[in-house]
């Protein structure tokens, strides 16, 4: 309903083995309006679970999006789970 101080994002990678690298470089963007986005994190190392700690900056946002950097390989991009943690500011 309103802005949130985003403190962390947990992303569970679906692909395993040699396909585990398909999701990187992975980014986390935040937005207040769903139109204008700010990049708050880029992950370059493939992992089974990405634990992204944003507590030091705690960006204020109403929307969070996760994706693969545009110039990355053109392969399937799929994740099992995305959990966003934060504190309501409204």
């Amino acid at each position: 309903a309103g802005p949130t101080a985003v403190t962390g994002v947990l992303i569970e990678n679906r692909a395993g083995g040699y396909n585990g690298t398909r999701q990187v470089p992975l980014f986390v963007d935040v937005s207040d309006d769903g139109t204008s986005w700010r990049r708050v994190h880029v992950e370059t190392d493939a992992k089974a679970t990405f634990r992204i700690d944003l507590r030091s900056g705690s960006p204020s946002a109403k929307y969070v999006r996760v994706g693969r950097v545009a110039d990355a390989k053109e392969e399937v991009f799929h994740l099992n789970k995305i959990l966003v943690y934060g504190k309501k500011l409204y």
Side-chain angles (χ1 to χ4, degrees), residues 5 9 20 26 35 44 47 49 52 56 60 68 76 78 82 89:
V9 181
L26 176 130
T35 303
T44 57
K47 301 174 184 173
T49 303
I52 301 165
S56 64
S60 172
R68 184 170 51 208
V76 176
H78 44 91
I82 300 173
L89 297 175

Side-chain angles (χ1 to χ4, degrees), residues 29-41:
D29 289 351
V30 296
S31 173
D32 294 320
D33 60 10
T35 303
S36 176
W37 295 89
R38 313 187 297 281
R39 186 135 307 156
V40 294
H41 186 79

Side-chain angles (χ1 to χ4, degrees), residues 13-24 45-48 50:
N13 192 349
R14 180 171 174 218
Y18 71 93
N19 289 329
T21 60
R22 287 181 175 176
Q23 282 49 271
V24 291
D45 297 326
K47 301 174 184 173
F50 300 95

